Amino acid sequence: MWRLKLLTEEEIVSLIEKYGNKKSSLIRIMQEIQKKAGYLPKEDLSVLSQQINIPLSKIYGIATFYHQFRLKPFGKHTIQVCFGTACHVKGGDEIWDFLREKLRLIGSEDTTNDLLFTVQKARCFGACSMAPVMKVDNDIYGNMTKEKLEEILKKYS
Amino acid sequence: MSEEKLLQEFKKAENVLFNGHEYRITVGVSTCSLAKGADKILEKTKEEVAKRGINASVVRVGCNGMCYSEVNLEIIKRDGSWAIYSYLTFDKVPDVLEAFFSGSSKYAFAFRRKSGTLKGEEQVPYLNEIPFYGKQTRRILELVGIIDPLNIEEYEAFGGYNGLRSALSKTPEEVIDIVKKSMLRGRGGAGFPTGLKWSFVKNAAEDVKYVICNADEGDPGAFMNRLTAEGNPHSIIEGHAIAGYAVGATKGYIFVRAEKPLMAEMLSKAIEQARSKGYLGKNIFGTSFSYDIEVILSAGAFVCGEETALMAAIEGNRAMPRPRPPYPATKGLFGKPTLINNVETLAHVSYLFRNGLTNFVSVGSEKSKGTKVFCLAGNIQHPGAAEVPLGTPLRTLIFDIGGGVPKGRHFKAVQTGGPSGGCIPETYLDYALDYETLASIGSIMGSGGLVVLDNTSCIVDVARYFLTFTSAESCGQCVPCRIGLRKMLEIMDKIVQGDGTENDLFLLESWARKVADSSLCALGQTAPNPILTTLKYFRAEYEEHVRDKKCRANRCLKLILKAKLPKA
Ligand SMILES: Cc1cc2nc3c(=O)[nH]c(=O)nc-3n(C[C@H](O)[C@H](O)[C@H](O)COP(=O)(O)O)c2cc1C
Ligand code: FES
């Protein structure tokens, strides 16, 4: 099964050295941690808080403010469905509902039980001319239909 | 640039562009065309060209704005013959190359340019004679889709960085004077006069100053900034350095939206190249001016586009706007005087200094000179990006360039200015696209995103959509925006679910006015615009929802279902 890892204390210290031990580096260090770990593990944030001398509550405040940050593990693949204006007008919400149905996600669940997929709503990728748009990891797909979605899902395992 | 001028310049640059080959083959690879597999088509083209021993350099270019006909592949011969293949798919690549180089007409190209000696294709239209292309005035986009964005020498071959050279031969005061005379206004939304803003920062008495390029482009439906950055990043960097020189800045930043990583990558690579050529770094062009630029990737929040929130984000805080004054020009990033300009504004600056004042002011409306890139999306035949002089009627953009709504449908409205803008009905289609005119009908220019709605779109649903967006994106700091938008959304939810009453329409309007009047920043102040304009121009549709429980676009499913159920 897909697993995520924590960063070692040394890795966090070296990130702080790279970007500088100052408040304006905080977001960039958090971005790097998320890139490596896949999300922001609580243990990592505590280490970061001690090392950079910023209260954990403040770091938590930043992590919950920005869309990019996530405090729970992601699935192996992240599927983002665009909820921008052009995609809304072209029925992006129907793609979203169909996707969740296919992956059997209910209520507030956003990750499949096998940790294969996490689904997210996104704000416009700037590919509005191809609406409705969906992104799986770094691959972007345009002019989405339900049929196309079924085909695409098969490509990821 | 006119078509003739472009072809002349292209000829002059041919040694760089052909790089010793007989042919130049380009594939437009940009976020939009990636959604159609353009990267794979580029690789396949390279493979096939090598396999067939064709004497061509295969080059990645940006998207020329014709997103509707992607993927676009162009084959240019040294004598100027120029064929453009559109709607290309991966499987067709070998056949297209076979057809072109064997002279068969099996896979005919879609467009051509007026030069060279292409034979046997007399029916193929010239690119500059189709409305989508011919009705544009391309300045920001002139080289987008033509040059390799990551080869600085191609930009230089078209006169790139001569604008910076020319600016550095003048005093900062002279540079600012030219920008003032150009009547250039900020393309980030509010249309503030750029020269005036520069003079505020220049006159601030401090040693350390910053310039930030706002590449947050958060308006869903707008992608002109990313298209420009992906297709010609050097034009932005050149404008950035000119701005830095004029205001006396020591360091520059580009703040890029999290959802647009390709844009950040292209800008970062272009900055490295500019450094290696001495256009950034110490003592640029042997002058005492030293300047460098750093790219910062946003962690994602719509409000980051607001200038004071953006600075808070760079400083490592939550992106909360703060009241102005003090304006960034006096107290900005890290407390220092800071100039913030939009991507397109800076690209216009480099155009201005590469082409001169007279050229710059030759198009535009009385109070706003120059061009603006607009994005066409939603229910429109030709989605894409097009550049026209400010003051062009909406109708030209939507119907001539954009080809109107899909066949068999009726135009309903065009949404301009994103979540801060309004829905404009057909009656106003002949109004000019400029800052004052749009404001006079309750909308704004914003970033220039145009989302077209037809009879399959429900105006109430679209208005509600914007509230879901703005209420989720409110930073939560001030009460009118945080609570007011939520209240408005609750009322809209009632209406689209078939539980609305006529009183709700009054309540909605009264909340909208309160939020607009009392919010701290422009996010809250403008968020009611989509509601207010739709209530004004499309009241009948709201009334149908609340009174007749009817949605004429068949979009509000809960309402439709409820109307069918027998009354309890
Ligand atoms: C909620 C909100 C979002 C904004 N988003 C952007 C944006 O994405 N890009 C941008 O250039 N300006 C944006 N602005 C406007 C900026 O605050 C600022 O006015 C602009 O970057 C100034 O550049 P200009 O003078 O070149 O237009 C936004 C404003 C608000 C209130
Ligand atoms: S609105 Fe979906 S990509 Fe822009």
Side-chain angles (χ1 to χ4, degrees):
Chain A
M1 191 195 268
W2 169 249
R3 278 190 202 288
L4 297 145
K5 65 172 175 73
L6 302 183
L7 275 73
T8 62
E9 191 154 338
E10 290 77 57
E11 282 177 299
I12 294 175
V13 171
S14 76
L15 282 175
I16 296 175
E17 273 164 12
K18 181 171 168 201
Y19 290 106
N21 194 336
K22 50 182 196 279
K23 191 153 132 242
S24 60
S25 313
L26 185 61
I27 291 177
R28 269 190 275 184
I29 295 170
M30 291 165 70
Q31 286 174 326
E32 292 274 348
I33 294 178
Q34 174 147 325
K35 213 175 180 181
K36 290 213 168 89
Y39 72 115
L40 293 175
K42 189 162 164 238
E43 296 78 355
D44 285 354
L45 294 186
S46 314
V47 175
L48 177 63
S49 156
Q50 281 155 18
Q51 293 290 345
I52 203 168
N53 213 4
I54 294 173
L56 190 57
S57 59
K58 169 109 196 154
I59 296 181
Y60 180 78
I62 288 178
T64 50
F65 185 87
Y66 292 103
H67 298 310
Q68 191 185 18
F69 294 127
R70 191 174 153 97
L71 298 161
K72 285 185 297 183
F74 275 99
K76 183 174 175 192
H77 302 290
T78 303
I79 306 181
Q80 292 177 296
V81 178
C82 178
F83 270 69
T85 318
C87 291
H88 176 82
V89 170
K90 299 277 239 174
D93 48 348
E94 289 167 28
I95 300 293
W96 171 255
D97 291 341
F98 186 70
L99 172 68
R100 293 186 55 90
E101 194 185 307
K102 279 267 123 197
L103 299 181
R104 297 170 205 270
L105 294 171
I106 38 175
S108 62
E109 289 175 357
D110 65 358
T111 301
T112 53
N113 287 334
D114 57 3
L115 274 186
L116 188 58
F117 292 110
T118 293
V119 298
Q120 291 186 313
K121 292 182 180 178
R123 303 280 194 226
C124 188
F125 301 110
C128 327
S129 43
M130 305 290 162
V133 179
M134 181 180 103
K135 207 169 168 184
V136 187
D137 303 332
N138 289 320
D139 304 329
I140 188 155
Y141 298 94
N143 304 118
M144 286 299 301
T145 58
K146 290 179 184 169
E147 295 73 41
K148 228 168 141 173
L149 178 68
E150 293 201 294
E151 285 305 307
I152 291 169
L153 283 181
K154 286 185 200 146
K155 288 206 263 181
Y156 296 87
S157 55
Chain B
M1 204 161 12
S2 68
E3 180 75 0
E4 294 73 38
K5 177 126 182 289
L6 175 71
L7 292 172
Q8 275 168 20
E9 299 274 311
F10 193 89
K11 181 87 193 137
K12 273 197 254 164
E14 70 174 9
N15 282 341
V16 174
L17 298 173
F18 286 86
N19 193 20
H21 294 91
E22 187 54 24
Y23 291 93
R24 173 181 168 92
I25 302 180
T26 65
V27 180
V29 182
S30 212
T31 300
C32 40
S33 64
L34 280 170
K36 288 204 170 163
D39 48 345
K40 296 188 186 76
I41 290 183
L42 176 67
E43 286 318 308
K44 181 81 183 158
T45 308
K46 283 185 179 162
E47 218 175 85
E48 289 288 324
V49 163
K51 204 166 85 187
R52 290 158 196 269
I54 298 169
N55 183 6
S57 67
V58 182
V59 177
R60 169 198 176 142
V61 297
C63 164
N64 65 6
M66 297 167 74
C67 305
Y68 67 98
S69 68
E70 267 162 353
V71 173
N72 296 306
L73 177 146
E74 313 195 4
I75 305 182
I76 311 149
K77 200 177 166 188
R78 247 192 199 254
D79 74 356
S81 306
W82 197 316
I84 303 171
Y85 290 86
S86 291
Y87 303 102
L88 192 66
T89 55
F90 184 80
D91 307 334
K92 278 201 224 151
V93 173
D95 298 341
V96 158
L97 293 175
E98 178 66 37
F100 185 89
F101 288 100
S102 73
S104 100
S105 56
K106 189 163 157 237
Y107 279 94
F109 39 93
F111 309 107
R112 56 183 172 155
R113 288 194 191 258
K114 261 192 190 137
S115 63
T117 52
L118 277 178
K119 286 200 191 70
E121 299 291 352
E122 269 69 46
Q123 278 79 24
V124 177
Y126 289 115
L127 186 63
N128 69 325
E129 283 173 2
I130 60 160
F132 189 93
Y133 208 88
K135 297 228 169 200
Q136 295 189 47
T137 303
R138 289 168 74 96
R139 292 183 168 183
I140 300 304
L141 300 182
E142 63 184 357
L143 299 175
V144 173
I146 302 273
I147 59 168
D148 176 351
L150 292 180
N151 183 349
I152 191 168
E153 280 162 19
E154 295 198 356
Y155 182 56
E156 289 173 320
F158 283 94
Y161 287 102
N162 281 344
L164 178 60
R165 187 169 311 186
S166 145
L168 291 195
S169 69
K170 299 177 171 64
T171 64
E173 288 76 11
E174 285 167 348
V175 170
I176 293 180
D177 194 49
I178 292 172
V179 178
K180 278 188 179 161
K181 288 200 176 111
S182 75
M183 293 167 72
L184 171 64
R185 295 169 65 175
R187 301 293 194 250
F192 193 83
T194 306
L196 193 60
K197 200 192 257 186
W198 287 21
S199 66
F200 293 154
V201 182
K202 163 100 182 70
N203 294 337
E206 287 251 21
D207 291 340
V208 177
K209 295 178 189 175
Y210 300 108
V211 176
I212 303 173
C213 168
N214 188 344
D216 198 53
E217 194 166 56
D219 169 7
F223 51 91
M224 59 288 287
N225 287 176
R226 81 117 186 99
L227 194 101
T228 312
E230 289 173 3
N232 189 1
H234 287 290
S235 63
I236 299 159
I237 292 161
E238 184 176 14
H240 205 312
I242 296 172
Y245 173 70
V247 304
T250 36
K251 176 151 192 209
Y253 292 93
I254 304 181
F255 187 84
V256 185
R257 202 169 130 72
E259 284 90 338
K260 300 185 178 171
L262 183 59
M263 173 168 166
E265 184 190 323
M266 300 302 258
L267 285 164
S268 305
K269 287 187 176 158
I271 287 171
E272 275 170 36
Q273 291 175 355
R275 263 186 217 134
S276 72
K277 288 267 180 177
Y279 299 135
L280 290 176
K282 289 222 155 35
N283 304 108
I284 300 169
F285 291 122
T287 65
S288 61
F289 176 58
S290 301
Y291 194 65
D292 211 340
I293 302 172
E294 184 182 349
V295 173
I296 297 202
L297 199 61
S298 164
F302 173 65
V303 73
C304 282
E306 197 278 338
E307 54 191 25
T308 59
L310 189 157
M311 296 187 301
I314 298 183
E315 288 169 4
N317 295 312
R318 287 171 155 228
M320 301 270 204
R322 60 161 174 79
R324 297 169 307 179
Y327 285 91
T330 44
K331 241 180 161 13
L333 188 64
F334 302 116
K336 301 294 178 190
T338 303
L339 170 71
I340 301 184
N341 272 138
N342 168 262
V343 167
E344 192 182 330
T345 312
L346 294 178
H348 278 291
V349 167
S350 76
Y351 179 88
L352 166 64
F353 283 88
R354 278 185 283 122
N355 297 278
L357 186 57
T358 320
N359 175 301
F360 189 91
V361 298
S362 64
V363 301
S365 63
E366 196 191 329
K367 286 188 181 156
S368 327
K369 294 292 175 209
T371 56
K372 170 90 194 78
V373 186
F374 291 93
C375 288
L376 299 164
N379 294 318
I380 188 151
Q381 299 248 31
H382 300 156
E387 184 172 0
V388 292
L390 282 164
T392 300
L394 271 163
R395 192 182 294 281
T396 307
L397 255 167
I398 297 168
F399 285 90
D400 298 344
I401 293 178
V405 295
K407 284 211 173 58
R409 308 233 192 123
H410 311 290
F411 175 88
K412 183 180 271 184
V414 55
Q415 211 281 336
T416 74
S420 316
C423 283
I424 300 173
E426 190 157 12
T427 352
Y428 296 105
L429 279 184
D430 292 311
Y431 276 44
L433 271 163
D434 65 32
Y435 299 93
E436 287 76 20
T437 312
L438 284 174
S440 77
I441 48 178
S443 188
I444 61 161
M445 175 84 86
S447 54
L450 302 177
V451 179
V452 177
L453 310 176
D454 65 17
N455 56 308
T456 64
S457 322
C458 165
I459 223 71
V460 183
D461 169 73
V462 171
R464 178 187 164 278
Y465 159 78
F466 281 110
L467 277 178
T468 63
F469 185 92
T470 43
S471 65
E473 294 294 336
S474 165
C475 82
Q477 178 177 207
C478 78
V479 176
C481 175
R482 182 180 72 228
I483 311 276
L485 293 178
R486 195 142 290 272
K487 276 280 162 206
M488 288 164 68
L489 180 58
E490 281 168 16
I491 298 175
M492 289 302 273
D493 281 343
K494 264 176 78 181
I495 296 177
V496 297
Q497 289 170 13
D499 299 324
T501 64
E502 278 177 78
N503 190 40
D504 283 331
L505 299 187
F506 292 103
L507 271 178
L508 187 65
E509 193 160 346
S510 113
W511 271 107
R513 301 219 178 274
K514 278 185 205 128
V515 173
D517 289 343
S518 54
S519 292
L520 178 121
C521 85
L523 191 156
Q525 289 158 11
T526 57
N529 281 346
I531 301 294
L532 289 170
T533 51
T534 48
L535 275 172
K536 183 166 164 199
Y537 300 125
F538 298 93
R539 202 172 183 96
E541 262 188 65
Y542 278 91
E543 284 171 350
E544 280 167 19
H545 279 70
V546 296
R547 205 180 39 217
D548 313 330
K549 309 294 172 204
K550 219 182 102 196
C551 170
R552 58 169 97 166
N554 277 329
R555 174 88 200 183
C556 300
L557 295 180
K558 285 200 176 138
L559 173 143
I560 295 165
L561 224 66
K562 217 168 256 174
K564 283 201 180 127
L565 291 176
K567 290 236 159 45

